[in-house]
Amino acid sequence: MVVEADFYRVRLRFKRLYADPMIFEDQKNAVRQFLKSPHLASNQVAIYQITDDISPSDNVGKSPDIAGTARYIHRGRVVRSEYLENANVTLEYADFGSGLSPDDHQRLWKRQKWGRMNFDLEEFHHEHLKIEMPAVPELYEMLRSRADPTTLVDVELPELSDNFFRSAVGYLEIRLKQLAELEHQMIDIYVARDLLPEEKAALEKRLTRPSTQSTIYIMLSKSEGTAHL
């Protein structure tokens, strides 16, 4: 099936960036938290953040030094927090059908405010892509029917740039885990390009075919606990 997705890259410049938990406590879901709006209904699960380590940088791309410590209001409390000055934050993420339009995304970022911190929106980049990938319900049903107590399949995704590839893998993982959790089952996904040579060789031998840079391995387990290679 063809899945349509919108990819975004935003670059934010903070005159003063505090260690705000809204950004740094759960970094993998920071974009989801930012895009929540009482005025726009959206399916936040459909938003997959590619940037999993938020690393502020200065104008030459280096990690800036701590500029000082100041009082900062967080959740109604006055706390003391270290801060960076003139710090840039770049975030990449994909939207696989949240209900937010590209204009909605741009409008939310153009508010230029995250919690109590103001920022300048230096870059807003958007691309729309169509990605060929397996239909999730059919893929899950195949895994479920073969699990005794586990099953392993390999899936070949299209050749994509690394950030688009990671978001496609994330989309499959989220959707498959949603279905598996309803039946108290476990899904584990392994990306061939990330595996150690001996791990990849073991999986290739088990499935009797070589992998490529676009191969992912999906394991479903009926038993409790995480499956092992």
Side-chain angles (χ1 to χ4, degrees), residues 4-9 92-95 102 124-130 161 163-164:
E4 297 195 35
D6 292 284
F7 295 87
Y8 298 91
R9 181 176 63 252
E92 292 185 322
Y93 65 98
D95 187 334
F124 178 85
H125 177 77
H126 166 242
E127 288 184 59
H128 182 77
L129 284 187
K130 296 180 180 180
S161 62
N163 55 350
F164 296 163

Side-chain angles (χ1 to χ4, degrees), residues 103-120:
D103 286 343
D104 291 331
H105 282 267
Q106 188 171 30
R107 191 178 305 114
L108 289 168
W109 289 111
K110 279 189 171 181
R111 293 183 306 181
Q112 301 191 127
K113 191 174 184 67
W114 200 324
R116 299 182 66 88
M117 293 184 294
N118 296 318
F119 61 81
D120 293 324

Side-chain angles (χ1 to χ4, degrees), residues 41-166:
S42 62
N43 175 16
Q44 293 293 312
V45 175
I47 295 173
Y48 178 77
Q49 185 174 317
I50 301 166
T51 305
D52 55 8
D53 180 21
I54 300 176
S55 302
S57 62
D58 59 19
N59 290 334
V60 294
K62 295 182 179 180
S63 180
D65 295 327
I66 295 171
T69 304
R71 291 180 179 179
Y72 180 71
I73 299 176
H74 174 62
R75 294 176 181 171
R77 295 176 54 199
V78 178
V79 298
R80 293 195 66 82
S81 171
E82 295 177 337
Y83 64 87
L84 308 175
E85 288 186 340
N86 300 318
N88 301 304
V89 171
T90 300
L91 299 166
E92 292 185 322
Y93 65 98
D95 187 334
F96 286 90
S98 71
L100 296 176
S101 69
D103 286 343
D104 291 331
H105 282 267
Q106 188 171 30
R107 191 178 305 114
L108 289 168
W109 289 111
K110 279 189 171 181
R111 293 183 306 181
Q112 301 191 127
K113 191 174 184 67
W114 200 324
R116 299 182 66 88
M117 293 184 294
N118 296 318
F119 61 81
D120 293 324
L121 181 60
E122 298 280 314
E123 178 187 5
F124 178 85
H125 177 77
H126 166 242
E127 288 184 59
H128 182 77
L129 284 187
K130 296 180 180 180
I131 304 173
E132 185 73 34
M133 64 174 66
V136 174
E138 287 83 350
L139 176 59
Y140 177 75
E141 185 58 33
M142 180 185 70
L143 287 162
R144 191 172 69 86
S145 64
R146 294 182 181 181
D148 187 25
T150 64
T151 189
L152 176 73
V153 300
D154 57 349
V155 172
E156 198 72 16
L157 294 178
E159 290 188 11
L160 300 166
S161 62
D162 190 68
N163 55 350
F164 296 163
F165 176 81
R166 300 286 175 186

